[in-house]
Amino acid sequence: MIDLKASTFEEKLSADASKSSEPRQVLKSHYSLIDTQPFESPQVIHVSNVMASVLGFSNADLNSVKFKDLVTGKADYLDKSFAMNYGGHQFGNWAGQLGDGRAINIGQIENGDVQWQLQLKGAGPTPYSRRGDGYAVLRSSIREHLCSEAMHHLGVPTTRSLSLSLSGNEVYRDMFYDGNPAYEKGAIVCRVAPSFIRFGNFQIFAANNEKDELQQLVDYTIEHHFAHIKSSGTEKYLEFFQEVTTTTLTMIMHWQRVGFVHGVMNTDNMSILGLTIDYGPYGWLDDYNPGWTPNTTDNQHKRYRYGAQPEIGLWNLWQLANALFLLINDSTALGDILDSYKREYPIRHQEMMKSKLGLQKKDFNDAILIKDLLDLLPIYETDMTIFYRQLIAVNQDSTFNEAWEVLKISFYDVEQMPASVKNQWVKWIENYIERLEKESAFEKARTLQMQQSNPKYVLRNYISQLVIEKAEEVNYDLLNEVYEMLKKPYEDQPEMKHWYAKRPDWARNKPGSSQLSCSS
Ligand code: AMP
Ligand code: MG
């Protein structure tokens, strides 16, 4: 069995003096040491074998008691387990200290040249639990476990999940915030990432005017995670911020490409490594609707809707720049880096859309073709994933009727489509076919590019809901099936074709399938 070592974050940065889990303000500290409280009868119900082998666990390891103890809070963590201190802007407002309220970092595993941090989410209270209990329910843990791994296989930068376990305890939750709390099964996810540092880890020290701790954290982050940055002083910090800006934009472009809506893009949920982190009330676009957010808490303003994600990424980077200003003291240089995001975004967006449409050559009219499509898609309910995937079968020799036969399954109710909308589709499809004539020499490359840009299988909200309902009945067959399907999202997988389907009618307005609360 592989050795778990103390985390360099714990070794190199400052600990809070107290070891109690009493909720409190923590000053001048990067983390608080906190022991996990072992559960009486936890049970591992799913392991990501892909993540397990990256870490170096053998099959025998995975079935051992030692492994179970490791991922459910019972192992000997050398008295070095800890919760991180961070703050954040929530829904646009500074919320002060937040921190790991229900995540306990247990150490790191080194394999190859990567140091993987392991963290147990839902393992009990910490000094940052505030009014929360430190636990997590099965439904939200299934969603985090499956989606982390699905995103990885989609090629989207993300934190990972090694395992999903039942804690054996019950957790009291008001799932719909309607005054009807009930007991639910508790669960623990063992999350894995090179680092769990968030924008909010830097912000908390700037907000408290704790410049030394801020500098220690920035230096630590660069030394361990941006080791290729060799400059020094202000230049080093600016290069670091530039890189965070670029990787954040890259992550968000991937979200837009696959139709992922994070749902809670608060600055405490923004990874400094540009990884998708904190899977809560996230969702996947079924019908393409840029105004949609899955998060009921955000229903009124829809701040974190799909179409706003790129702009929110910039807003969040601006908050990070404000925190780093304490160290850098050069607002022009920081502003220039933020401007690079504004400049890059439209370029990256065009590239991403061109790859989805299989347009490899340069053509001045592509911007119009793309804009027309994005204007048209939301007008009449069209399934985003199915539309782009079906489009692969349209080519420069297709007639309109052939293309329509291929594409029509992506509309939710094609029979009722008004003639005026159909006419707009006729126009767009004819333009697209005409445009493809310029690509003809690249037919094979185009197909391949489209297959790699347009997933066939994503973790649709209703699919998670079905997995959760079965798991609540102690049946994990569907969990296993969906996990396997999500390993190869770009492949045809004929045996999985029942999941290549639009959201069923029952799921349209069902809580969990259409909208989610933060209660988890
Ligand atoms: P989130 O919006 O889920 O990223 O959480 C925001 C903050 O609330 C973080 O500091 C979390 O650690 C904390 N939190 C969320 N749920 C709980 C819980 N059940 N117990 C303790 N803290 C929690
Ligand atoms: Mg969070």
Side-chain angles (χ1 to χ4, degrees):
M1 183 96 162
I2 309 160
D3 269 345
L4 186 72
K5 296 190 172 152
S7 168
T8 53
F9 188 94
E10 185 273 337
E11 285 182 336
K12 302 226 169 148
L13 295 169
S14 329
D16 165 22
S18 164
K19 265 198 89 172
S20 103
S21 64
E22 194 64 28
R24 58 183 180 270
Q25 281 305 117
V26 175
L27 295 172
K28 288 183 166 291
S29 309
H30 299 98
Y31 64 88
S32 305
L33 287 166
I34 183 80
D35 288 333
T36 56
Q37 292 166 15
F39 298 96
E40 239 166 68
S41 50
Q43 188 197 345
V44 181
I45 58 175
H46 193 266
V47 174
S48 161
N49 51 11
V50 176
M51 189 65 232
S53 76
V54 171
L55 292 172
F57 289 106
S58 68
N59 278 342
D61 289 340
L62 301 184
N63 294 316
S64 67
V65 173
K66 231 175 146 184
F67 180 79
K68 179 169 107 174
D69 288 351
L70 179 79
V71 298
T72 60
K74 200 177 168 193
D76 170 14
Y77 303 115
L78 316 164
D79 286 334
K80 300 231 163 174
S81 47
F82 63 95
M84 285 187 185
N85 183 14
Y86 57 81
H89 280 84
Q90 297 186 315
F91 297 94
N93 303 306
W94 176 244
Q97 179 185 303
L98 298 165
D100 286 331
R102 54 163 168 179
I104 299 183
N105 301 274
I106 54 173
Q108 68 184 40
I109 287 176
E110 288 159 31
N111 204 9
D113 46 11
V114 188
Q115 294 178 346
W116 293 99
Q117 310 297 321
L118 273 69
Q119 180 178 86
L120 304 182
K121 183 164 175 181
T126 78
Y128 307 94
S129 297
R130 296 174 292 157
R131 288 181 304 279
D133 54 12
Y135 299 112
V137 293
L138 178 60
R139 61 185 151 82
S140 68
S141 305
I142 288 176
R143 286 169 46 84
E144 171 135 22
H145 178 67
L146 279 180
C147 201
S148 310
E149 294 304 281
M151 293 285 264
H152 167 72
H153 294 295
L154 282 163
V156 184
T158 179
T159 62
R160 305 288 303 275
S161 177
L162 172 61
S163 62
L164 167 69
S165 307
L166 286 170
S167 69
N169 286 12
E170 295 210 305
V171 177
Y172 201 50
R173 287 285 182 279
D174 188 353
M175 176 160 46
F176 304 116
Y177 294 134
D178 63 358
N180 290 308
Y183 282 103
E184 297 186 52
K185 286 181 185 171
I188 311 151
V189 168
C190 180
R191 300 203 288 195
V192 184
S195 169
F196 290 99
I197 299 174
R198 302 139 190 273
F199 289 10
N201 288 73
F202 303 89
Q203 288 184 282
I204 190 72
F205 298 122
N208 294 345
N209 205 14
E210 295 168 344
K211 191 175 169 189
D212 289 348
E213 286 72 16
L214 176 65
Q215 180 156 9
Q216 286 156 13
L217 180 64
V218 177
D219 287 341
Y220 166 85
T221 307
I222 295 173
E223 184 189 337
H224 288 266
H225 304 289
F226 296 78
H228 49 278
I229 297 180
K230 295 292 179 212
S231 43
S232 56
T234 306
E235 197 48 44
K236 170 169 93 165
Y237 300 141
L238 286 170
E239 266 185 60
F240 163 66
F241 183 58
Q242 176 67 69
E243 214 167 298
V244 177
T245 300
T246 306
T247 50
T248 301
L249 178 58
T250 298
M251 169 186 78
I252 295 173
M253 293 321 303
H254 278 291
W255 292 356
Q256 304 306 92
R257 174 175 65 83
V258 298
F260 174 80
V261 189
H262 183 286
V264 208
M265 288 178 74
N266 294 333
T267 57
D268 52 306
N269 292 338
M270 297 294 291
S271 143
I272 203 69
L273 300 184
L275 308 173
T276 313
I277 191 171
D278 278 14
Y279 291 88
Y282 68 82
W284 293 81
L285 290 183
D286 287 308
D287 57 299
Y288 180 83
N289 173 4
W292 183 71
T293 175
N295 186 355
T296 49
T297 316
D298 194 19
N299 255 345
Q300 202 186 351
H301 300 294
K302 300 202 178 355
R303 177 181 172 86
Y304 297 142
R305 63 193 182 277
Y306 171 80
Q309 294 187 127
E311 185 192 320
I312 293 291
L314 178 60
W315 193 90
N316 288 343
L317 284 160
W318 186 44
Q319 306 314 316
L320 179 62
N322 278 339
L324 296 177
F325 179 75
L326 190 61
L327 220 56
I328 297 177
N329 214 352
D330 183 344
S331 54
T332 311
L334 287 166
D336 285 347
I337 294 173
L338 291 171
D339 283 344
S340 77
Y341 185 106
K342 288 189 220 161
R343 264 195 322 275
E344 279 296 308
Y345 167 67
I347 300 169
R348 302 282 296 269
H349 184 258
Q350 284 289 300
E351 279 170 9
M352 183 267 283
M353 285 304 300
K354 284 189 72 165
S355 78
K356 286 183 81 65
L357 296 178
L359 307 177
Q360 304 199 315
K361 285 196 170 173
K362 272 210 166 101
D363 188 305
F364 288 121
N365 291 323
D366 284 350
I368 299 169
L369 189 73
I370 290 167
K371 182 178 182 306
D372 286 349
L373 175 64
L374 295 179
D375 288 345
L376 185 51
L377 274 172
I379 292 181
Y380 196 75
E381 265 194 329
T382 312
D383 193 275
M384 175 179 173
T385 303
I386 295 180
F387 175 80
Y388 286 109
R389 191 73 188 187
Q390 292 298 103
L391 202 59
I392 302 173
V394 176
N395 62 45
Q396 71 276 10
D397 301 321
S398 304
T399 62
F400 167 76
N401 282 336
E402 285 163 352
W404 188 251
E405 270 313 298
V406 167
L407 292 175
K408 72 180 188 191
I409 64 159
S410 55
F411 301 113
Y412 273 78
D413 190 356
V414 73
E415 303 299 324
Q416 299 297 322
M417 183 183 283
S420 59
V421 179
K422 170 96 184 259
N423 287 340
Q424 292 184 61
W425 275 113
V426 174
K427 233 169 99 188
W428 190 84
I429 292 168
E430 286 178 349
N431 285 341
Y432 180 64
I433 294 171
E434 201 184 312
R435 169 66 180 81
L436 289 182
E437 282 168 16
K438 298 183 184 154
E439 298 282 338
S440 47
F442 300 96
E443 180 66 26
K444 259 211 170 118
R446 182 178 80 87
T447 306
L448 196 69
Q449 181 191 41
M450 288 179 84
Q451 276 166 346
Q452 288 167 351
S453 306
N454 300 310
K456 181 159 185 174
Y457 301 103
V458 294
L459 184 55
R460 290 171 184 272
N461 314 312
Y462 84 87
I463 300 180
S464 299
Q465 187 57 28
L466 292 174
V467 171
I468 290 166
E469 284 169 16
K470 286 286 174 201
E472 295 285 355
E473 296 164 9
V474 201
N475 179 339
Y476 307 121
D477 294 346
L478 208 51
L479 173 64
N480 285 304
E481 177 181 331
V482 170
Y483 170 76
E484 291 302 322
M485 166 185 84
L486 295 170
K487 275 184 183 168
K488 292 176 281 182
Y490 300 105
E491 290 179 28
D492 276 326
Q493 301 191 68
E495 71 284 7
M496 294 291 178
K497 70 173 192 299
H498 49 288
W499 296 118
Y500 184 58
K502 286 169 288 207
R503 170 198 57 218
D505 261 352
W506 62 260
R508 181 179 287 271
N509 296 313
K510 190 178 159 95
S513 300
S514 58
Q515 288 239 295
L516 295 120
S517 75
C518 278
S519 157
S520 59

